[in-house]
Amino acid sequence: MAKKDLLPLGAFLSPPFVACALMLGGAAAGLQPAVKALVRHYSKQSISLRRPLDEFDAARLASFRVVTGGTAFDVAVSDDVGTDDALRLVVEKKGAATEGRRELDTLLFVTYYNDPRDTIPHTPEVCYRQDGATVNAITPVYLDVDGIDPTGPKRIKARLLDLEQAGLREVLIYVFCSNGRFYDDRLWVRMALGMPGDGYTYFSKIEVLTACPPGESFADAVQRCKLLLREALPILTEHFPANDDLKRP
Amino acid sequence: MANAAPPSALNGRVAVWQLLILLGVCLLAFRRSGETIMRLALNDGESAHLLAAPFLIGLLVLRRRHELKLQLSRGSNWGVAFVLAGLTAHAAAQWPFNFTGYPSWLTMVPIIAGIILTVGGWRVLKLCGPMLLILLLAIPITPRHYAFLIIGPETLTLRAVQVTLDLLPGVFVELAGPELSYFGSQGAGHIALGEPHRGASLFLAYLSITVFVTFASIRAPWQVAAMGFAAAPIALICNYSRLAMWGAVTIYGGAGPLSPYPRIIATTLSLLGAWGLSVLGVLVASKIVKPPQPRPGSRKPRPAEISE
């Protein structure tokens, strides 16, 4: 090979090239083992509920009463939810306009998970859709909830789904609670689960679902769901682990 | 930071070797992610455009080789920052966060951008933008992410297809969740049965085609912007046409819901349609948006004519 064809070695010793090669080489050799070691060493721990969800005191819901039979909602918890800590409760709103009208029943569905590496596979917009519902719209909704924050009402952002299932319009509002904080997005819950700080971690998905039969106002159905969430969240937070219990031992 | 040394054949060869070395080490660093992505691409027909991505990128490099040679500098130190940021994000995605799939794969894009910047400089990186965009579109979105992202456009497309097919004589079509069902004089059945996202992943394939066609020649920024606006409608129209064709062939072809032929026919035609619409879009953009006229005495700009 002629001398002019040879590449100058010096060109491969330029600082940026060498720095990139070293960083990428280091990543190729050591990134995965390092990440595995960090995961092993610094993994958060699971934490159980303070009180089982079965002991949810529905009598404390000021505006609702429990419906025990003959309702449109199935109260049995499916194995698909991936946890034994779950609650499905059907309630009706007190008042002459709604009492006894089974089509206006509202479902409270709560699941609790405490695997720190959970990927949060279940979100209503995806799961209900795969179950045959058409998702017409997904919008944010805000709730001012008393009894969670000692300083006053806490503003919580939740997610509202406008669904259509078997020709019936439905309203679903859901929110996640992870380590005492509320999120409307699965991504943020995943971030919260991984966020350094606490030694223990959990998250819960709280959803309320009600139908909007023909002739009924959609806004009323939304209000019913919001009211139930506002009344249920303070009770549920008493079941979830206390923030002080989440700290590293 | 870039060194604006005049390009030479030797510089070009050095840059190519540096690029190959760094990309090789990068591939080694991402070998596990690469294996998973390839497995997905080979097993999931809706991510199969990933297999075409290296060819599309290679063709774009070939079409832009003269510009790449002209714009080559000794590189920028900022490339190191890009690579470092990408590697940090890749590590953080896995710990403390547990994003081992799509989000951690995405970090490959800034790392490769950093490599290009280190080797060739900012102007070369700008020229390689379309290639990076094709790479970005080729990274398969994991089903859970995709199912969430796609709800809006997919529901819109399915509704439009339902309305269209419902107009066909003697057929009644209804939409329930992600399912399109039909019944009538032709019988009853489901359309697009068993397809995980009803082919919605092909949105990314259509977008890849539009990106490729747009950047197959060096175009004026206005034309690129016009195609940027047209890309999403083209993808929506193609996916709508695909499902509508699939439905029509299923209903009238008597192929049955599990037959692969309606899907193959509709997919092939819609991909060709995406190509045709993209070329048409580029032609229209070049007619509507004229390139700026050269000032007297300035160098004649490179013509932005269509060569497809």
Short mmCIF file of all heavy atoms in Angstrom, two decimals, chain B residues 161-174 180-192 243-257 259 262-263:
data_model
loop_
_atom_site.label_atom_id
_atom_site.label_comp_id
_atom_site.label_asym_id
_atom_site.label_seq_id
_atom_site.Cartn_x
_atom_site.Cartn_y
_atom_site.Cartn_z
N VAL B 161 -63.79 4.26 8.82
CA VAL B 161 -63.92 3.03 8.04
C VAL B 161 -65.31 2.43 8.24
O VAL B 161 -65.94 1.97 7.28
CB VAL B 161 -62.81 2.02 8.46
CG1 VAL B 161 -63.05 0.67 7.81
CG2 VAL B 161 -61.44 2.54 8.08
N GLN B 162 -65.80 2.50 9.46
CA GLN B 162 -67.14 1.97 9.73
C GLN B 162 -68.19 2.71 8.90
O GLN B 162 -69.05 2.09 8.26
CB GLN B 162 -67.46 2.11 11.22
CG GLN B 162 -68.80 1.51 11.63
CD GLN B 162 -69.66 2.51 12.38
OE1 GLN B 162 -69.15 3.40 13.05
NE2 GLN B 162 -70.95 2.36 12.24
N VAL B 163 -68.09 4.04 8.87
CA VAL B 163 -69.05 4.85 8.09
C VAL B 163 -68.94 4.51 6.61
O VAL B 163 -69.95 4.32 5.92
CB VAL B 163 -68.79 6.37 8.34
CG1 VAL B 163 -69.58 7.21 7.38
CG2 VAL B 163 -69.13 6.72 9.78
N THR B 164 -67.70 4.37 6.11
CA THR B 164 -67.49 4.08 4.69
C THR B 164 -68.07 2.72 4.32
O THR B 164 -68.82 2.59 3.34
CB THR B 164 -65.98 4.08 4.36
OG1 THR B 164 -65.42 5.28 4.87
CG2 THR B 164 -65.73 3.99 2.87
N LEU B 165 -67.72 1.70 5.11
CA LEU B 165 -68.16 0.34 4.77
C LEU B 165 -69.67 0.20 4.95
O LEU B 165 -70.32 -0.59 4.26
CB LEU B 165 -67.43 -0.70 5.63
CG LEU B 165 -65.91 -0.80 5.38
CD1 LEU B 165 -65.29 -1.82 6.34
CD2 LEU B 165 -65.61 -1.22 3.94
N ASP B 166 -70.20 1.00 5.88
CA ASP B 166 -71.64 0.96 6.11
C ASP B 166 -72.41 1.46 4.89
O ASP B 166 -73.59 1.14 4.72
CB ASP B 166 -71.97 1.83 7.33
CG ASP B 166 -73.13 1.26 8.14
OD1 ASP B 166 -73.30 0.03 8.11
OD2 ASP B 166 -73.85 2.05 8.75
N LEU B 167 -71.75 2.24 4.04
CA LEU B 167 -72.40 2.76 2.83
C LEU B 167 -72.51 1.69 1.74
O LEU B 167 -73.25 1.85 0.78
CB LEU B 167 -71.61 3.97 2.29
CG LEU B 167 -71.60 5.22 3.16
CD1 LEU B 167 -70.65 6.27 2.59
CD2 LEU B 167 -73.01 5.79 3.28
N LEU B 168 -71.71 0.63 1.88
CA LEU B 168 -71.75 -0.42 0.86
C LEU B 168 -73.13 -1.08 0.87
O LEU B 168 -73.74 -1.23 1.93
CB LEU B 168 -70.67 -1.47 1.15
CG LEU B 168 -69.21 -0.98 1.06
CD1 LEU B 168 -68.26 -2.08 1.51
CD2 LEU B 168 -68.88 -0.57 -0.37
N PRO B 169 -73.60 -1.49 -0.32
CA PRO B 169 -74.96 -2.05 -0.37
C PRO B 169 -75.07 -3.39 0.37
O PRO B 169 -74.20 -4.25 0.25
CB PRO B 169 -75.19 -2.25 -1.87
CG PRO B 169 -73.84 -2.22 -2.50
CD PRO B 169 -72.97 -1.40 -1.63
N GLY B 170 -76.11 -3.49 1.17
CA GLY B 170 -76.43 -4.76 1.82
C GLY B 170 -75.53 -5.13 2.97
O GLY B 170 -75.49 -6.29 3.38
N VAL B 171 -74.79 -4.16 3.50
CA VAL B 171 -73.87 -4.47 4.61
C VAL B 171 -74.12 -3.50 5.75
O VAL B 171 -74.30 -2.30 5.54
CB VAL B 171 -72.39 -4.33 4.16
CG1 VAL B 171 -71.45 -4.74 5.28
CG2 VAL B 171 -72.11 -5.14 2.92
N PHE B 172 -74.12 -4.04 6.96
CA PHE B 172 -74.21 -3.20 8.14
C PHE B 172 -72.95 -3.42 8.95
O PHE B 172 -72.61 -4.55 9.29
CB PHE B 172 -75.47 -3.55 8.95
CG PHE B 172 -75.61 -2.71 10.18
CD1 PHE B 172 -76.05 -1.40 10.09
CD2 PHE B 172 -75.30 -3.23 11.42
CE1 PHE B 172 -76.17 -0.62 11.23
CE2 PHE B 172 -75.42 -2.45 12.56
CZ PHE B 172 -75.86 -1.14 12.47
N VAL B 173 -72.25 -2.33 9.24
CA VAL B 173 -70.97 -2.45 9.96
C VAL B 173 -71.07 -1.69 11.27
O VAL B 173 -71.60 -0.58 11.32
CB VAL B 173 -69.80 -1.88 9.11
CG1 VAL B 173 -68.48 -2.03 9.84
CG2 VAL B 173 -69.73 -2.58 7.77
N GLU B 174 -70.58 -2.31 12.35
CA GLU B 174 -70.58 -1.60 13.64
C GLU B 174 -69.21 -1.70 14.30
O GLU B 174 -68.44 -2.63 14.05
CB GLU B 174 -71.69 -2.10 14.55
CG GLU B 174 -71.55 -3.53 14.99
CD GLU B 174 -72.68 -3.94 15.95
OE1 GLU B 174 -73.73 -3.28 15.96
OE2 GLU B 174 -72.47 -4.94 16.66
N LEU B 180 -64.28 -4.12 14.40
CA LEU B 180 -65.26 -3.78 13.37
C LEU B 180 -65.97 -5.07 12.97
O LEU B 180 -65.32 -6.04 12.56
CB LEU B 180 -64.56 -3.20 12.14
CG LEU B 180 -64.23 -1.71 12.12
CD1 LEU B 180 -63.38 -1.38 10.91
CD2 LEU B 180 -65.47 -0.85 12.14
N SER B 181 -67.27 -5.10 13.13
CA SER B 181 -68.03 -6.30 12.77
C SER B 181 -69.00 -5.95 11.66
O SER B 181 -69.48 -4.83 11.59
CB SER B 181 -68.83 -6.82 13.97
OG SER B 181 -68.00 -6.87 15.10
N TYR B 182 -69.28 -6.93 10.81
CA TYR B 182 -70.24 -6.67 9.73
C TYR B 182 -71.25 -7.81 9.67
O TYR B 182 -70.96 -8.95 10.06
CB TYR B 182 -69.52 -6.51 8.38
CG TYR B 182 -68.93 -7.78 7.82
CD1 TYR B 182 -69.65 -8.60 6.94
CD2 TYR B 182 -67.66 -8.19 8.18
CE1 TYR B 182 -69.12 -9.77 6.44
CE2 TYR B 182 -67.11 -9.36 7.69
CZ TYR B 182 -67.84 -10.14 6.82
OH TYR B 182 -67.30 -11.31 6.34
N PHE B 183 -72.43 -7.48 9.18
CA PHE B 183 -73.39 -8.52 8.83
C PHE B 183 -74.30 -7.98 7.74
O PHE B 183 -74.43 -6.77 7.55
CB PHE B 183 -74.17 -9.03 10.05
CG PHE B 183 -74.93 -7.98 10.79
CD1 PHE B 183 -76.23 -7.67 10.47
CD2 PHE B 183 -74.32 -7.31 11.85
CE1 PHE B 183 -76.92 -6.71 11.17
CE2 PHE B 183 -75.02 -6.33 12.55
CZ PHE B 183 -76.33 -6.03 12.21
N GLY B 184 -74.89 -8.88 7.02
CA GLY B 184 -75.75 -8.48 5.91
C GLY B 184 -75.89 -9.63 4.94
O GLY B 184 -75.69 -10.80 5.30
N SER B 185 -76.20 -9.29 3.69
CA SER B 185 -76.45 -10.33 2.70
C SER B 185 -75.19 -11.16 2.41
O SER B 185 -75.27 -12.29 1.93
CB SER B 185 -76.97 -9.70 1.41
OG SER B 185 -76.06 -8.71 0.98
N GLN B 186 -74.01 -10.59 2.68
CA GLN B 186 -72.75 -11.32 2.42
C GLN B 186 -72.39 -12.28 3.55
O GLN B 186 -71.38 -12.96 3.48
CB GLN B 186 -71.60 -10.32 2.25
CG GLN B 186 -71.87 -9.18 1.29
CD GLN B 186 -71.93 -9.68 -0.14
OE1 GLN B 186 -71.29 -10.65 -0.49
NE2 GLN B 186 -72.73 -9.01 -0.95
N GLY B 187 -73.18 -12.24 4.63
CA GLY B 187 -72.86 -13.04 5.80
C GLY B 187 -72.47 -12.12 6.95
O GLY B 187 -72.76 -10.92 6.93
N ALA B 188 -71.80 -12.70 7.94
CA ALA B 188 -71.40 -11.90 9.11
C ALA B 188 -69.97 -12.25 9.49
O ALA B 188 -69.49 -13.35 9.18
CB ALA B 188 -72.34 -12.17 10.27
N GLY B 189 -69.30 -11.33 10.12
CA GLY B 189 -67.93 -11.61 10.54
C GLY B 189 -67.24 -10.38 11.06
O GLY B 189 -67.87 -9.34 11.29
N HIS B 190 -65.94 -10.52 11.28
CA HIS B 190 -65.14 -9.41 11.80
C HIS B 190 -64.13 -8.99 10.75
O HIS B 190 -63.65 -9.79 9.97
CB HIS B 190 -64.41 -9.81 13.08
CG HIS B 190 -65.34 -10.15 14.19
ND1 HIS B 190 -66.03 -9.19 14.88
CD2 HIS B 190 -65.70 -11.35 14.70
CE1 HIS B 190 -66.78 -9.79 15.79
NE2 HIS B 190 -66.60 -11.09 15.70
N ILE B 191 -63.79 -7.71 10.80
CA ILE B 191 -62.78 -7.18 9.89
C ILE B 191 -61.50 -6.93 10.70
O ILE B 191 -61.58 -6.43 11.82
CB ILE B 191 -63.27 -5.86 9.27
CG1 ILE B 191 -64.53 -6.13 8.44
CG2 ILE B 191 -62.19 -5.21 8.41
CD1 ILE B 191 -65.37 -4.92 8.19
N ALA B 192 -60.38 -7.25 10.10
CA ALA B 192 -59.08 -7.02 10.75
C ALA B 192 -58.98 -7.77 12.06
O ALA B 192 -58.41 -7.30 13.03
CB ALA B 192 -58.85 -5.53 10.96
N LEU B 243 -57.52 -0.06 5.95
CA LEU B 243 -58.60 -0.76 6.67
C LEU B 243 -59.85 -0.87 5.81
O LEU B 243 -60.55 -1.88 5.84
CB LEU B 243 -58.91 -0.02 7.96
CG LEU B 243 -58.03 -0.42 9.15
CD1 LEU B 243 -58.31 0.47 10.34
CD2 LEU B 243 -58.27 -1.87 9.53
N ALA B 244 -60.14 0.19 5.05
CA ALA B 244 -61.33 0.16 4.19
C ALA B 244 -61.18 -0.92 3.11
O ALA B 244 -62.12 -1.68 2.84
CB ALA B 244 -61.55 1.54 3.56
N MET B 245 -59.98 -1.00 2.51
CA MET B 245 -59.73 -2.04 1.48
C MET B 245 -59.83 -3.42 2.10
O MET B 245 -60.42 -4.35 1.55
CB MET B 245 -58.34 -1.85 0.88
CG MET B 245 -58.27 -0.81 -0.20
SD MET B 245 -56.68 -0.81 -1.03
CE MET B 245 -55.66 0.05 0.11
N TRP B 246 -59.21 -3.55 3.27
CA TRP B 246 -59.23 -4.83 3.98
C TRP B 246 -60.68 -5.25 4.24
O TRP B 246 -61.07 -6.41 4.01
CB TRP B 246 -58.47 -4.66 5.29
CG TRP B 246 -58.26 -5.90 6.11
CD1 TRP B 246 -58.95 -7.08 6.03
CD2 TRP B 246 -57.28 -6.09 7.12
NE1 TRP B 246 -58.47 -7.98 6.93
CE2 TRP B 246 -57.44 -7.39 7.61
CE3 TRP B 246 -56.30 -5.28 7.67
CZ2 TRP B 246 -56.64 -7.90 8.64
CZ3 TRP B 246 -55.51 -5.79 8.68
CH2 TRP B 246 -55.67 -7.08 9.16
N GLY B 247 -61.49 -4.28 4.71
CA GLY B 247 -62.89 -4.57 5.00
C GLY B 247 -63.63 -4.98 3.74
O GLY B 247 -64.36 -5.99 3.73
N ALA B 248 -63.44 -4.22 2.66
CA ALA B 248 -64.16 -4.50 1.41
C ALA B 248 -63.77 -5.89 0.87
O ALA B 248 -64.64 -6.66 0.44
CB ALA B 248 -63.85 -3.42 0.38
N VAL B 249 -62.47 -6.21 0.92
CA VAL B 249 -62.02 -7.51 0.42
C VAL B 249 -62.56 -8.63 1.32
O VAL B 249 -62.98 -9.69 0.84
CB VAL B 249 -60.47 -7.57 0.34
CG1 VAL B 249 -59.99 -8.97 -0.03
CG2 VAL B 249 -59.95 -6.56 -0.68
N THR B 250 -62.57 -8.39 2.64
CA THR B 250 -63.10 -9.41 3.56
C THR B 250 -64.58 -9.66 3.29
O THR B 250 -65.04 -10.81 3.25
CB THR B 250 -62.89 -8.96 5.03
OG1 THR B 250 -61.51 -8.71 5.22
CG2 THR B 250 -63.35 -10.04 6.01
N ILE B 251 -65.33 -8.56 3.12
CA ILE B 251 -66.79 -8.71 2.97
C ILE B 251 -67.14 -9.34 1.62
O ILE B 251 -67.91 -10.30 1.56
CB ILE B 251 -67.47 -7.33 3.11
CG1 ILE B 251 -67.31 -6.81 4.54
CG2 ILE B 251 -68.96 -7.42 2.76
CD1 ILE B 251 -67.67 -5.34 4.73
N TYR B 252 -66.54 -8.80 0.54
CA TYR B 252 -66.96 -9.25 -0.79
C TYR B 252 -66.09 -10.36 -1.36
O TYR B 252 -66.48 -11.06 -2.28
CB TYR B 252 -66.98 -8.06 -1.76
CG TYR B 252 -68.07 -7.08 -1.44
CD1 TYR B 252 -67.78 -5.84 -0.92
CD2 TYR B 252 -69.41 -7.42 -1.64
CE1 TYR B 252 -68.78 -4.93 -0.60
CE2 TYR B 252 -70.42 -6.53 -1.32
CZ TYR B 252 -70.11 -5.29 -0.80
OH TYR B 252 -71.11 -4.42 -0.50
N GLY B 253 -64.88 -10.50 -0.82
CA GLY B 253 -63.96 -11.50 -1.37
C GLY B 253 -64.26 -12.89 -0.85
O GLY B 253 -63.72 -13.87 -1.37
N GLY B 254 -65.04 -12.96 0.22
CA GLY B 254 -65.36 -14.26 0.80
C GLY B 254 -64.13 -14.97 1.32
O GLY B 254 -64.08 -16.20 1.39
N ALA B 255 -63.11 -14.19 1.71
CA ALA B 255 -61.86 -14.80 2.15
C ALA B 255 -61.93 -15.30 3.60
O ALA B 255 -61.12 -16.11 4.02
CB ALA B 255 -60.72 -13.78 2.02
N GLY B 256 -62.90 -14.80 4.35
CA GLY B 256 -62.98 -15.22 5.75
C GLY B 256 -62.09 -14.33 6.61
O GLY B 256 -61.08 -13.82 6.15
N PRO B 257 -62.46 -14.19 7.89
CA PRO B 257 -61.75 -13.24 8.75
C PRO B 257 -60.31 -13.63 9.04
O PRO B 257 -59.50 -12.78 9.38
CB PRO B 257 -62.59 -13.24 10.04
CG PRO B 257 -63.36 -14.51 10.01
CD PRO B 257 -63.58 -14.85 8.59
N SER B 259 -58.24 -15.19 6.89
CA SER B 259 -57.41 -15.28 5.69
C SER B 259 -56.37 -14.15 5.67
O SER B 259 -56.69 -13.00 5.97
CB SER B 259 -58.29 -15.17 4.45
OG SER B 259 -57.47 -14.97 3.33
N PRO B 262 -56.60 -10.60 2.45
CA PRO B 262 -57.09 -9.21 2.50
C PRO B 262 -56.07 -8.28 3.15
O PRO B 262 -55.86 -7.16 2.70
CB PRO B 262 -58.36 -9.32 3.34
CG PRO B 262 -58.81 -10.72 3.20
CD PRO B 262 -57.56 -11.53 3.06
N ARG B 263 -55.44 -8.78 4.19
CA ARG B 263 -54.46 -7.95 4.90
C ARG B 263 -53.25 -7.64 4.01
O ARG B 263 -52.79 -6.49 3.94
CB ARG B 263 -54.02 -8.67 6.17
CG ARG B 263 -52.99 -7.90 6.93
CD ARG B 263 -52.47 -8.67 8.13
NE ARG B 263 -51.46 -7.85 8.80
CZ ARG B 263 -50.96 -8.12 9.97
NH1 ARG B 263 -51.36 -9.18 10.62
NH2 ARG B 263 -50.06 -7.35 10.51
#
